[in-house]
């Protein structure tokens, strides 16, 4: 070892007083606290922006020809746009075309996967009662197998035009004989089933409560949520 | 090269080869095995570790006289944890995609025994300058080791490097290489090669010594 040990200092032989130990640790904690709060403050707005952008991109991805969106929630038993700055337990997103024409809902859902909770967002068009897109937002499925639920274009493509009645079913690859069926991924049956189960369960929560076709909340003409892709 | 430059160089270079934290000291195995399923993850984890180790070594060496030895470990951990939190938020703000992949393993840098080990074994006993050189060397060695493992596993397990496909569509990825067993397998083989090279060098040096003895 080439490490050099500095000569012992005389005061190192005496035990420092407990007060000194406490002061040292308290100071270290204080400086550390200030540093952590500083970095949190410095990065907070960027992190919030990243999250909002990711969500917006996901909504545009699962709903075709959508360029505007707004967050909706049930307030006083009515589905309405969530006022800025407020939060609700359960929210969905409504997507609109450039001309503010309603296209469909982007519904977030989550449930247990093979390893951990899978969070996803899917596009639903009430006019056709069809799922029109699915995007996994968060998952820890096995790399190379379970992660095909978002990496395998064929599996994701299953959800681009999928009738939801009576329920979505998972079948073994190649055995698909009905429109409401999804081909499972070979080697990742549990993850495939999890995705479909999440969508079915989320449908149960939301679909009966959605407003009748034609009476969807309108996109306000000038909104902070407006974004162009 | 002056003597002090020579010393700097030695402290730097030892971490890369002779005392490599992964291949020789076998420290920091948790991130080593967990996040090396792709080259980019390995580089990001290595970079975060480099930042934490260099920052901590600098502070520990600078304040070593003020820290009573009874509370030194707590102080080291506070310093390390602060740098880890800074790295965590910075990665989340700058590269959210990579941060998502690394997940829980960024906060776990706090528990990387290589970092605390360098504070206890080196930075708390040496000058700021030497400690920073030592930290730079050790973390460069760590980055090289992580990258080697990550590149091998990504090439074999996904058929790509930095996400760029290498073998075209006909290549069937060897999925087990990006799963945990692939990590152990690759690390084991690399350690085997490393030990074999060290052994060969030792044999060679013995032979040279013997030849010198019989020659004189």
């Amino acid at each position: 070892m080439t490490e050099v040990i500095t000569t012992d200092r005389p005061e190192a032989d005496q035990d420092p007083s407990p007060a000194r130990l406490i002061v040292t640790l308290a100071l270290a904690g204080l400086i550390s606290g200030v540093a952590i709060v500083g970095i949190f403050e410095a990065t907070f707005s960027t992190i919030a922006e990243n999250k909002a952008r990711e969500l917006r991109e996901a909504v545009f991805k699962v709903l075709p020809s959508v360029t505007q969106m707004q967050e909706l929630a049930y307030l006083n038993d009515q589905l309405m746009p969530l006022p800025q700055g407020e939060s609700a337990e359960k929210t969905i997103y409504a997507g609109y075309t450039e001309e503010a024409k309603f296209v469909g809902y982007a519904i977030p859902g989550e449930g247990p996967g093979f390893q951990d909770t899978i969070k996803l967002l899917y596009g639903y068009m009430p006019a056709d009662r069809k799922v029109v897109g699915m995007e996994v937002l968060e998952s820890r499925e096995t790399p190379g197998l379970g992660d095909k639920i978002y990496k395998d274009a064929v599996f994701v493509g299953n959800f681009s035009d999928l009738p939801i009645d009576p329920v979505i079913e998972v079948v073994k690859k190649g055995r698909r004989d009905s429109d409401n069926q999804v081909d499972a991924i070979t080697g990742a049956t549990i993850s495939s089933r999890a995705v479909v189960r999440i969508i079915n369960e989320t449908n149960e929560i939301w679909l009966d409560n959605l407003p009748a076709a034609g009476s969807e909340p309108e996109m306000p003409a000038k909104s902070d949520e407006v974004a162009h892709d | 090269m002056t003597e002090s430059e020579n010393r700097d160089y030695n402290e730097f270079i030892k971490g890369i080869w002779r005392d490599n934290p992964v291949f020789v000291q076998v420290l920091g195995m948790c991130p080593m095995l967990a996040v090396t399923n792709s080259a980019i993850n390995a580089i990001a984890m290595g970079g975060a570790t480099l930042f934490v180790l260099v920052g901590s070594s600098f502070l520990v060496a600078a304040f070593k006289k003020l820290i009573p030895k009874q509370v030194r470990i707590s102080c080291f951990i506070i310093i390390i944890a602060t740098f880890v939190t800074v790295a965590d938020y910075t990665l989340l703000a700058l590269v959210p995609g990579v941060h998502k992949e690394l997940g829980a393993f960024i906060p776990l840098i706090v528990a990387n025994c290589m970092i605390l080990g360098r504070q206890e074994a080196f930075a708390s006993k040496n000058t700021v300058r030497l400690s920073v050189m030592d930290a730079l060397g050790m973390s460069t060695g760590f980055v090289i080791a992580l990258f080697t493992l990550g590149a091998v596993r990504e090439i074999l397990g996904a058929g790509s490097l930095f996400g760029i496909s290498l073998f075209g569509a006909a290549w069937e990825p060897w999925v087990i290489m990006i799963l945990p067993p692939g990590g152990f397998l690759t690390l084991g083989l690399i350690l085997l090669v490393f030990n074999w090279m060290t052994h060969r060098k030792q044999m060679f040096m013995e032979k040279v010594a013997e030849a010198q003895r019989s020659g004189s």
Side-chain angles (χ1 to χ4, degrees):
Chain A
M1 281 284 156
T2 52
E3 280 146 26
V4 167
I5 296 163
T6 51
T7 50
D8 277 350
R9 285 162 284 125
E11 70 267 28
D13 293 330
Q14 306 156 357
D15 282 341
S17 67
R20 165 117 198 270
L21 300 184
I22 292 169
V23 167
T24 311
L25 279 178
L27 265 179
L30 184 73
I31 296 169
S32 158
V34 170
I36 289 174
V37 172
I39 189 76
F40 176 76
E41 291 288 330
T43 54
F44 180 76
S45 61
T46 324
I47 292 170
E49 265 171 40
N50 283 345
K51 284 203 171 139
R53 197 187 57 230
E54 252 172 54
L55 182 76
R56 186 167 290 166
E57 276 168 9
V59 170
F60 294 166
K61 222 167 165 179
V62 296
L63 286 169
S65 63
V66 160
T67 57
Q68 305 180 65
M69 60 169 269
Q70 63 178 344
E71 194 171 5
L72 306 176
Y74 275 99
L75 303 167
N76 311 322
D77 285 337
Q78 212 186 347
L79 192 67
M80 56 162 80
L82 194 67
Q84 197 108 57
E86 276 191 41
S87 64
E89 202 179 321
K90 284 201 166 89
T91 60
I92 59 175
Y93 306 91
Y96 305 84
T97 61
E98 191 72 57
E99 297 82 35
K101 196 173 149 280
F102 175 81
V103 175
Y105 299 105
I107 310 179
E110 62 176 84
F114 184 61
Q115 310 241 5
D116 202 349
T117 304
I118 298 176
K119 288 187 183 168
L120 54 79
L121 186 78
Y122 63 96
Y124 170 71
M125 297 234 263
D128 308 331
R129 290 188 67 81
K130 269 181 181 173
V131 168
V132 290
M134 186 274 298
E135 168 99 344
V136 174
L137 301 176
E138 248 181 83
S139 78
R140 288 195 195 287
E141 299 306 285
T142 322
L145 296 170
D147 68 353
K148 285 190 184 161
I149 56 171
Y150 57 92
K151 285 188 176 160
D152 184 345
V154 177
F155 180 75
V156 177
N158 274 313
F159 297 92
S160 63
D161 185 19
L162 183 66
I164 56 150
D165 294 307
V167 285
I168 306 169
E169 289 169 356
V170 187
V171 293
K172 270 198 179 170
K173 199 159 192 155
R175 300 237 181 109
R176 196 162 167 266
D177 57 6
S178 166
D179 281 347
N180 65 330
Q181 291 177 338
V182 168
D183 277 330
I185 301 163
T186 313
T189 320
I190 295 177
S191 303
S192 319
R193 283 183 193 282
V195 169
V196 168
R197 194 184 56 237
I198 293 168
I199 297 183
N200 279 331
E201 282 173 1
T202 315
N203 275 343
E204 257 175 53
I205 298 172
W206 281 104
L207 293 202
D208 294 337
N209 296 323
L210 291 177
S215 59
E216 286 92 3
E218 276 174 22
M219 183 79 198
K222 269 185 195 167
S223 162
D224 295 345
E225 291 274 8
V226 175
H228 298 278
D229 206 4
Chain B
M1 211 185 270
T2 68
E3 198 178 314
S4 83
E5 273 174 354
N6 198 11
R7 179 88 207 276
D8 288 352
Y9 175 75
N10 275 334
E11 296 302 353
F12 177 73
I13 212 74
K14 74 167 194 282
I16 294 178
W17 191 254
R18 202 186 66 227
D19 286 344
N20 186 292
V22 174
F23 297 144
V24 179
Q25 303 183 56
V26 201
L27 291 177
M29 285 299 107
C30 173
M32 183 72 202
L33 291 164
V35 300
T36 54
N37 49 13
S38 75
I40 188 73
N41 287 357
I43 295 273
M45 172 53 79
T49 311
L50 183 141
F51 168 73
V52 173
L53 181 53
V54 173
S56 313
S57 280
F58 174 79
L59 278 190
V60 167
F63 292 107
K64 61 177 180 286
K65 288 210 169 73
L66 298 175
I67 300 173
K69 70 175 192 299
Q70 288 86 346
V71 294
R72 68 185 189 286
I73 304 282
S74 331
C75 286
F76 297 166
I77 286 290
I78 291 173
I79 292 172
I80 295 168
T82 310
F83 277 106
V84 170
T85 312
V86 170
D88 191 16
Y89 280 119
T90 313
L91 283 175
L92 184 56
L94 296 182
V95 279
V98 172
H99 185 275
K100 207 165 151 189
E101 292 267 315
L102 297 180
F105 291 100
I106 296 177
L108 279 179
I109 297 175
V110 179
N112 186 330
C113 45
M114 177 191 87
I115 296 177
L116 187 59
R118 286 337 283 168
Q119 311 314 320
E120 178 72 1
F122 200 94
S124 59
K125 296 169 186 160
N126 286 283
T127 62
V128 171
R129 183 173 159 153
L130 285 180
S131 301
V132 169
M133 290 315 284
D134 169 78
L136 279 173
M138 282 293 162
S139 38
T140 311
F142 191 67
V143 172
I144 292 173
L146 283 173
F147 176 71
T148 313
L149 208 64
V152 169
R153 290 178 66 190
E154 192 184 344
I155 291 171
L156 294 177
S160 60
L161 189 62
F162 291 113
I164 301 160
S165 182
L166 295 179
F167 306 113
W171 165 263
E172 185 58 43
W174 193 10
V175 171
I176 192 143
M177 294 310 285
I178 47 175
L179 298 179
F184 284 103
L185 198 66
T186 317
L187 181 64
L189 290 175
I190 292 177
L191 285 180
L192 183 78
V193 171
F194 219 85
N195 279 338
W196 174 71
M197 283 187 342
T198 318
H199 182 68
R200 239 175 52 135
K201 192 179 167 193
Q202 211 180 337
M203 298 292 277
F204 178 73
M205 296 306 261
E206 274 171 22
K207 251 186 203 164
V208 171
E210 206 175 305
Q212 276 176 343
R213 265 203 305 278
S214 58
S216 59

